[in-house]
């Protein structure tokens, strides 16, 4: 059998397989490939028939079939190519045109048995058996060939156009078909020119069909895939290495090269580099490994994550593995930065409150047996610093202070800025040296170039590691301790203890119950008699007492200090003044307008009350002589903002009130004060005088001088705190004419006082 028949037969068999597979394929393009493959078989069969027959009639019809079927091969080629190259075809002018042309041409060719206008069958004796029959071209054959040629031009133009516009990745799939089309059509032209009986180019058509099947239906686009993979991997931000089953590196992407400073195709080096992270024992045994590594690239420490994954084929045989390397250096840096920002104070770089408390808690939990000190620092009147010097300067001070505190704290101590000007240190008790801390803090004595000694107070709270208290509470207490020394210029540090907290609670309780206390009559005046040198009661000082429903009897020492601190003293005083007026009114109505009462005026009253308006208002309301309500003011009233207060005092005196200077001699500027302060009476406090002098002789001299000076200035003196007859005699000798003290009378309730001094016995006389 001749080769061509074998070749055609093989082509038929292969085509048949392709047809079946195309039939089963679900790709849309299969619908175009299938008719093409089928149609290609027709001229192949026709040729096989021509080869097989001896009968000229059969040969004649076989040629006819061949002529007509090639038309449809070209038609379906056009159809397939249009769709393959993404040109519109179905129901397009292109389709209608070629359908019409091919139909008409086929019909004309089919008339050949009658008119022999296409070809005439020729028989050759000598030439090989398969070329026994051949055709002689008649005029229409050339028309038919021209149509075919036009068809091919159409096809080629589609491929060429596609080739020009498609990505180079896809050229392969068009190029293969166009080349085989060129080869096949050239082959066919050869067959026609050389008038071979059999069209041997049918082998080419068959193969073309197979190629079309492969590229359109099957198309394992290895090249394309490889190209795409390279592009994708090339652009990816991770480094990727591929290794084969022998652990040879076969590929790495540009990023991988950059991560390890590899030149292109340095596969051995790539293996060495990657191999150092993947311990061979581990990689042989495991399918997947993930780890973080550090790598020094150009002197910079990089943080990479490494992912190793084995690859298996369908039969579960190891095909190789790949390694993905991700550069986390920047990410880590950002994360570290973010973590830092979230846990530190932006201004000073110290820990912020939340992080500080977290770390404190951690320490407490870890070392329950240790003893720690919680230190809180506060700058006195820091607001003032901001106001006077501006916030920039304020910030500088805070930064400086932060550095100082940091400087004196040791490794393992925690230092934080809690808020504003409040810093906190958590320190092992054994590490704390108060001297060093105090020394360091006193170093903040200027702001910029300006000498400005800052007062920094420290509150200290000692805690055991085993404490149940939350860090925030521990430090609240440390800061609380500061409130005790806030106004003390000498003390810079104070320890917190439980009594401290108790006193705070106590203060809160009193503060909270003051209004009700006044309303409910719990806060009442006690009266202490003031007597003349004959021992006759002339009046009394009004001294407050609080009969508290839960705390019991409270002398003023228990609450006056607190209320002076928070300003509520004004409420107490206003209440006492009114109480005094009510008593005076009652006495007056009973005919005892000879008696007076002295009330206390606190320095703070001037800030919270219009003292003048209140007092004159009360006196007017109760229709009293201003002389009967004496006013006691301590000399400390004059310390701050003295001009305004002096004016008020002057006004009150002008309104007829008598003004007493209380606790005269207790302040530093007592004598100085006399020259500026308008005053009617001096109250000399024996108690503090006796407290401050160890030498009785000296004390006597000072009292002597004071009373002497007052009498020479024409200012009467009341001696307060007189407890003994000796004192009375001594004071009398010096010229003192009024006395107040336990020797004569203790402060007592109004009823007791009235009873004791038989206030109403002279009534009506
Ligand atoms: P003060 O104004 O100097 O009042 C005199 C204090 O000395 C009174 O204490 C009085 O009981 C006490 N005293 C009088 N004679 C003697 C004595 O012979 N020996 C001793 N050891 N003490 C004597 P009290 O009533 O406890 O008042 C203490 C301070 O509380 C007062 O000192 C005054 O500064 C303040 N205070 C009392 N009541 C009021 C008030 O209504 N308003 C204001 N702002 N302060 C008041
Ligand atoms: Ca007083
Ligand atoms: Ca006094």
């Amino acid at each position: 059998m001749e080769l061509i028949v074998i070749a055609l037969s093989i082509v038929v068999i292969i085509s048949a397989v392709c047809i079946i597979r195309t039939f089963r394929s679900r790709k849309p393009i299969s619908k175009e490939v299938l008719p093409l493959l089928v149609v290609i078989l027709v001229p192949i069969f026709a040729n096989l028939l021509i080869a097989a027959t001896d009968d000229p009639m059969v040969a004649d019809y076989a040629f006819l079939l061949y002529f007509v079927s090639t038309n449809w091969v070209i038609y379906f080629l056009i159809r397939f190519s249009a769709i393959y190259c993404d040109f519109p075809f179905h129901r397009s002018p292109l389709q209608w045109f070629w359908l019409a042309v091919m139909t008409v041409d086929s019909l004309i060719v089919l008339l050949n048995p009658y008119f022999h206008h296409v070809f005439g069958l020729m028989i050759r004796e000598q030439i090989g058996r398969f070329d026994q029959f051949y055709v002689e071209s008649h005029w229409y054959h050339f028309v038919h060939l021209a149509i075919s040629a036009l068809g091919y031009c159409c096809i080629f133009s589609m491929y060429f156009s596609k080739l020009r516009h498609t990505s180079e990745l896809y050229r392969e799939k068009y190029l293969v078909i166009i080349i085989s089309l060129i080869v096949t059509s050239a082959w066919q032209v050869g067959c026609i020119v050389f008038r071979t009986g059999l069209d041997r180019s049918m082998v080419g058509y068959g193969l073309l069909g197979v190629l079309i099947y492969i590229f359109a239906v099957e198309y394992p686009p290895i090249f394309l895939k490889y190209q795409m993979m390279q592009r994708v991997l090339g652009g990816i931000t991770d480094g990727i290495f591929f290794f084969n089953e022998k652990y040879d590196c076969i590929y790495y992407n540009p990023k991988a090269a950059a991560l390890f400073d590899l030149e292109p195709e340095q596969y051995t080096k790539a293996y060495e580099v990657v191999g150092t992270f993947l311990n061979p024992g581990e990689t042989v045994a495991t399918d997947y490994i993930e780890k973080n590594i550090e790598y020094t690239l150009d002197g910079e420490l990089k943080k990479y994550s490494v992912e190793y994954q084995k690859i298996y084929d369908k039969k579960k045989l190891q095909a190789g593995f790949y390694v993905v390397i991700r550069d986390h250096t920047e990410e880590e840096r950002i994360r570290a930065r973010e973590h830092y920002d979230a846990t530190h104070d932006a201004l000073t770089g110290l820990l912020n409150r939340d992080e500080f408390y977290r770390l404190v808690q951690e320490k407490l939990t870890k070392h329950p047996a240790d003893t720690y000190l919680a230190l809180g620092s506060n700058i006195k009147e820091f607001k003032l610093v901001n106001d006077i010097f501006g916030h920039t300067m304020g910030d500088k001070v805070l930064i400086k202070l932060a550095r100082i505190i940091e400087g004196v704290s040791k490794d393992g101590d925690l230092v934080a800025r809690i808020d504003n000007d409040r810093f906190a240190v958590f320190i092992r008790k054994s590490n704390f040296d108060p001297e060093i801390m105090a020394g360091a803090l006193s170093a903040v004595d200027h702001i910029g170039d300006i000498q400005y000694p800052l007062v920094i107070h420290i509150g200290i709270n000692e805690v055991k590691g085993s404490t149940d208290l939350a860090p925030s509470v521990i430090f609240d207490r440390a800061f609380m301790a500061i409130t005790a020394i806030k106004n003390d210029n000498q003390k810079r540090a104070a320890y917190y203890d439980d009594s401290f907290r108790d006193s705070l609670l106590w203060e809160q309780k009193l503060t909270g119950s003051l209004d009700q206390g006044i309303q409910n009559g719990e806060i009442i005046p006690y009266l202490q008699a003031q007597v003349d040198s004959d021992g006759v009661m002339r009046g009394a000082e009004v001294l407050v007492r609080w009969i508290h429903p839960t705390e019991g009897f409270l002398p003023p020492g228990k609450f006056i200090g607190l209320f002076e601190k928070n300003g509520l003293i004004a409420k107490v005083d206003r209440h006492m003044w009114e109480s005094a007026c009510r008593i005076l009114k009652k006495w007056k109505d009973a005919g005892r307008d000879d008696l007076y009462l002295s009330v206390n005026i606190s320095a703070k009253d001037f800030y919270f009350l219009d003292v003048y308006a209140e007092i004159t208002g009360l006196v007017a309301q109760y229709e009293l002589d201003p002389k009967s309500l004496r006013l006691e003011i301590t000399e400390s009233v004059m310390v701050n903002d003295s001009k305004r207060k002096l004016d008020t005092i002057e006004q009150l005196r002008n309104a007829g009130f008598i003004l007493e200077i209380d606790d005269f001699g207790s302040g530093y500027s007592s004598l100085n004060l006399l020259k500026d302060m308008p005053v009617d009476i001096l109250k000399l406090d024996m108690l503090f005088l006796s407290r401050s002098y160890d030498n009785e002789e000296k004390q006597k001299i000072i009292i002597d001088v004071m009373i002497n000076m007052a009498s020479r200035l024409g200012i009467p003196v009341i001696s307060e705190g007189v407890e003994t007859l000796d004192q009375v005699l001594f004071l009398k000798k010096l010229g003192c004419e009024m006395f107040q003290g336990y020797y004569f009378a203790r402060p007592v309730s109004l009823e007791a006082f009235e009873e004791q001094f038989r206030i109403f016995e002279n009534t009506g006389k």
Side-chain angles (χ1 to χ4, degrees):
M1 242 212 277
E2 216 174 282
L3 198 64
I4 182 67
V5 177
I6 298 169
L8 280 174
S9 309
I10 291 170
V11 163
V12 168
I13 293 164
I14 295 172
S15 295
V17 174
C18 294
I19 286 169
I20 293 165
R21 295 191 63 120
T22 307
F23 183 73
R24 288 189 186 154
S25 162
R26 286 189 193 160
K27 278 192 178 176
I29 192 77
S30 307
K31 286 206 298 264
E32 317 305 328
V33 176
L34 189 63
L36 178 62
L37 291 182
V38 173
V39 167
I40 286 176
L41 283 183
V42 180
I44 295 177
F45 271 122
N47 273 280
L48 282 171
L49 201 60
I50 293 164
T53 189
D54 278 339
D55 186 340
M57 256 268 275
V58 173
D60 198 23
Y61 280 106
F63 271 115
L64 196 62
L65 183 61
Y66 162 71
F67 269 75
V68 172
S69 60
T70 49
N71 255 6
W72 296 101
V73 168
I74 290 168
Y75 172 78
F76 281 106
L77 258 177
I78 292 171
R79 178 175 136 152
F80 163 77
S81 302
I83 287 157
Y84 192 59
C85 298
D86 303 314
F87 288 100
F89 183 78
H90 290 295
R91 283 180 245 283
S92 71
L94 192 68
Q95 181 180 26
W96 300 130
F97 172 76
W98 282 109
L99 205 55
V101 168
M102 291 310 184
T103 310
V104 171
D105 185 59
S106 299
L107 291 173
I108 294 172
V109 170
L110 283 173
L111 293 174
N112 190 59
Y114 306 101
F115 303 108
H116 299 290
H117 56 298
V118 187
F119 63 85
L121 186 74
M122 310 293 281
I123 304 168
R124 266 187 298 232
E125 302 284 316
Q126 288 83 16
I127 300 181
R129 171 179 158 75
F130 297 107
D131 291 325
Q132 184 182 11
F133 299 109
Y134 69 101
V135 292
E136 187 183 59
S137 299
H138 295 163
W139 71 271
Y140 190 78
H141 190 194
F142 297 106
V143 177
H144 176 75
L145 286 176
I147 290 169
S148 304
L150 189 64
Y152 275 108
C153 286
C154 177
I155 293 167
F156 287 142
S157 61
M158 286 193 284
Y159 281 99
F160 282 126
S161 151
K162 188 69 192 175
L163 268 180
R164 271 186 43 210
H165 294 113
T166 193
S167 147
E168 63 169 311
L169 290 183
Y170 295 96
R171 283 211 181 127
E172 163 203 46
K173 77 182 229 193
Y174 299 105
L175 216 55
V176 167
I177 292 180
I178 199 166
I179 289 170
S180 40
L181 259 172
I182 290 170
V183 170
T184 314
S185 53
W187 193 354
Q188 194 174 34
V189 169
C191 290
I192 294 167
V193 171
F194 293 107
R195 294 188 175 196
T196 55
L198 265 182
D199 184 351
R200 285 162 175 77
S201 70
M202 283 301 116
V203 177
Y205 274 99
L207 292 177
L208 176 66
V210 174
L211 274 177
I212 285 173
Y213 159 76
I214 290 170
F215 276 85
V217 180
E218 291 292 338
Y219 191 46
I222 291 163
F223 177 72
L224 174 70
K225 279 184 186 166
Y226 180 72
Q227 289 271 314
M228 278 193 159
M229 187 195 76
Q230 274 217 324
R231 258 150 225 253
V232 171
L233 295 181
I236 223 161
T237 49
D238 295 342
I240 294 175
F241 294 92
F242 290 157
F243 292 84
N244 66 14
E245 86 285 11
K246 291 176 195 145
Y247 286 68
D248 293 326
C249 182
I250 50 171
Y251 171 82
Y252 52 82
N253 69 351
K255 183 69 190 182
L259 288 180
F260 296 101
D261 201 16
L262 297 169
E263 300 290 325
E265 303 192 17
Q266 277 188 308
Y267 293 123
T268 325
K269 191 175 169 201
Y271 175 75
E272 283 165 9
V273 168
V274 175
T276 53
F277 316 133
L278 301 168
N279 148 14
E282 206 176 22
T283 47
V284 167
T286 9
D287 284 350
Y288 181 79
I289 294 168
E290 204 182 341
K291 56 166 86 174
N292 292 319
I293 57 152
E294 290 184 343
Y295 185 80
T296 313
L297 183 71
D298 295 336
E300 192 193 344
L301 188 69
K302 298 278 195 179
K303 303 208 163 154
Y304 297 159
S305 73
V306 179
E307 226 176 295
Y308 158 101
Q309 174 77 61
K310 263 191 201 167
I311 310 167
Y312 293 94
D313 68 3
K314 282 180 191 158
K315 291 182 194 156
K316 302 266 176 215
L317 293 169
Q318 194 194 325
F321 62 91
Y322 66 84
V323 179
V324 179
I325 314 255
R326 193 163 296 162
D327 185 353
H328 292 288
T329 317
E330 193 54 32
E331 216 174 293
E332 293 271 313
R333 199 174 295 147
I334 291 169
R335 193 178 313 145
R337 182 79 234 171
E338 279 173 355
H339 179 74
Y340 182 88
D341 288 348
T343 53
H344 288 74
D345 169 47
L347 179 68
T348 60
L350 296 179
L351 294 170
N352 65 18
R353 183 182 50 201
D354 290 350
E355 179 68 1
F356 176 69
Y357 286 165
R358 193 183 69 74
L359 293 173
V360 166
Q361 184 61 63
E362 208 172 272
K363 272 205 167 180
L364 291 170
T365 317
K366 259 193 211 155
H367 310 285
D370 285 357
T371 305
Y372 292 95
L373 296 179
L375 271 53
S377 85
N378 191 22
I379 305 174
K380 190 176 176 183
E381 281 162 356
F382 184 67
K383 264 199 209 91
L384 220 61
V385 172
N386 274 333
D387 283 352
I388 300 170
F389 301 99
H391 280 264
T392 321
M393 214 41 124
D395 284 353
K396 276 190 186 155
V397 170
L398 291 177
I399 293 168
K400 184 172 173 186
L401 188 58
R403 294 290 87 82
I404 287 174
I405 295 177
E406 221 172 21
V408 294
S409 54
K410 300 203 173 76
D411 266 2
D413 296 347
L414 301 170
V415 183
R417 181 173 169 223
I418 299 294
D419 55 33
N420 306 322
D421 61 328
R422 301 203 301 162
F423 292 88
V425 181
F426 192 62
I427 188 168
R428 216 178 266 265
K429 192 183 178 189
S430 51
N431 277 356
F432 182 62
D433 185 338
E435 301 271 294
I436 292 180
M437 184 61 87
L441 292 181
S442 64
V444 195
D445 58 358
H446 60 271
I447 291 173
D449 297 332
I450 302 154
Q451 198 70 22
Y452 187 99
L454 283 178
V455 176
I456 296 157
H457 286 124
I458 297 185
I460 306 165
N461 184 14
E462 185 175 318
V463 285
K464 282 256 178 288
S466 53
T467 179
D468 297 335
L469 296 174
S472 59
V473 175
I474 293 172
F475 279 89
D476 282 351
R477 290 180 178 185
F479 284 110
M480 238 182 241
I482 294 177
T483 55
I485 49 165
K486 211 164 54 187
N487 297 315
D488 189 330
N489 283 324
Q490 307 302 312
K491 268 182 136 179
R492 290 296 154 88
Y495 277 82
Y496 172 91
D497 59 17
D498 282 342
S499 65
F500 187 87
R501 186 197 50 187
D502 294 346
S503 77
L504 271 182
L505 288 175
W506 157 268
E507 286 184 354
Q508 278 169 5
K509 187 169 185 177
L510 286 197
T511 304
S513 57
L514 176 65
D515 282 340
Q516 224 176 355
I518 291 175
Q519 267 173 32
N520 297 352
E522 296 163 17
I523 293 169
I524 54 162
Y526 261 41
L527 304 181
Q528 186 179 26
Q530 294 184 345
V531 302
D532 62 15
S533 44
D534 299 328
V536 178
M537 188 273 290
R538 292 303 185 88
E541 181 177 0
V542 176
L543 295 160
V544 67
R545 297 291 182 268
W546 191 343
I547 322 294
H548 198 279
T550 58
E551 303 304 319
F553 183 89
L554 302 177
K558 294 250 174 179
F559 56 90
I560 292 291
L562 161 66
F563 292 148
E564 286 200 311
K565 205 161 65 187
N566 60 24
L568 291 175
I569 186 67
K571 284 192 180 182
V572 177
D573 279 352
R574 166 100 206 349
H575 177 62
M576 280 301 110
W577 303 340
E578 175 146 31
S579 305
C581 290
R582 220 178 271 137
I583 295 167
L584 286 169
K585 169 79 176 147
K586 179 180 161 198
W587 288 350
K588 186 184 167 194
D589 290 348
R592 293 303 308 263
D593 53 0
D594 57 316
L595 298 173
Y596 65 83
L597 287 177
S598 303
V599 292
N600 289 285
I601 299 177
S602 159
K604 283 284 170 80
D605 291 339
F606 291 88
Y607 296 103
F608 297 94
L609 285 177
D610 182 344
V611 174
Y612 177 79
E614 287 292 340
I615 287 177
T616 51
L618 283 168
V619 165
Q621 185 189 339
Y622 288 93
E623 300 164 323
L624 300 173
D625 178 359
K627 291 220 156 28
S628 63
L629 186 71
R630 294 191 179 182
L631 309 174
E632 291 191 14
I633 300 175
T634 56
E635 54 192 27
S636 65
V637 166
M638 290 304 128
V639 172
N640 288 317
D641 197 12
S642 53
K643 175 84 180 77
R644 203 169 61 100
K645 288 182 223 160
L646 268 177
D647 288 349
T648 310
I649 289 166
E650 192 61 62
Q651 278 179 302
L652 286 167
R653 286 187 75 230
N654 291 341
F657 289 94
I658 293 176
L659 234 110
E660 303 181 3
I661 299 278
D662 202 356
D663 301 347
F664 184 74
S666 66
Y668 296 103
S669 55
S670 304
L671 295 174
N672 209 18
L673 197 78
L674 284 179
K675 116 177 124 49
D676 304 322
M677 195 163 160
V679 59
D680 302 298
I681 295 172
L682 290 183
K683 276 192 92 171
L684 209 61
D685 199 322
M686 308 304 301
L687 280 173
F688 67 71
L689 287 182
S690 65
R691 236 180 277 127
S692 26
Y693 300 96
D694 38 15
N695 182 325
E696 209 176 321
E697 237 2 82
K698 259 190 194 164
Q699 180 197 357
K700 284 185 172 166
I701 292 170
I702 287 171
I703 295 171
D704 182 5
V705 169
M706 281 192 171
I707 295 176
N708 203 338
M709 180 191 65
S711 66
R712 287 176 75 177
L713 286 171
I715 304 171
V717 173
I718 295 183
S719 294
E720 202 180 359
V722 182
E723 292 184 340
T724 61
L725 181 62
D726 280 355
Q727 286 175 332
V728 178
L729 295 174
F730 167 71
L731 290 163
K732 263 191 189 168
K733 207 168 75 191
L734 292 179
C736 181
E737 279 154 11
M738 291 292 293
F739 303 91
Q740 179 184 343
Y742 292 174
Y743 178 74
F744 298 102
R746 291 191 169 244
V748 290
S749 68
L750 175 63
E751 296 73 32
F753 186 85
E754 289 172 342
E755 170 85 28
Q756 190 180 349
F757 294 101
R758 303 195 187 94
I759 299 285
F760 304 113
E761 277 183 16
N762 302 347
T763 312
K765 279 187 189 168

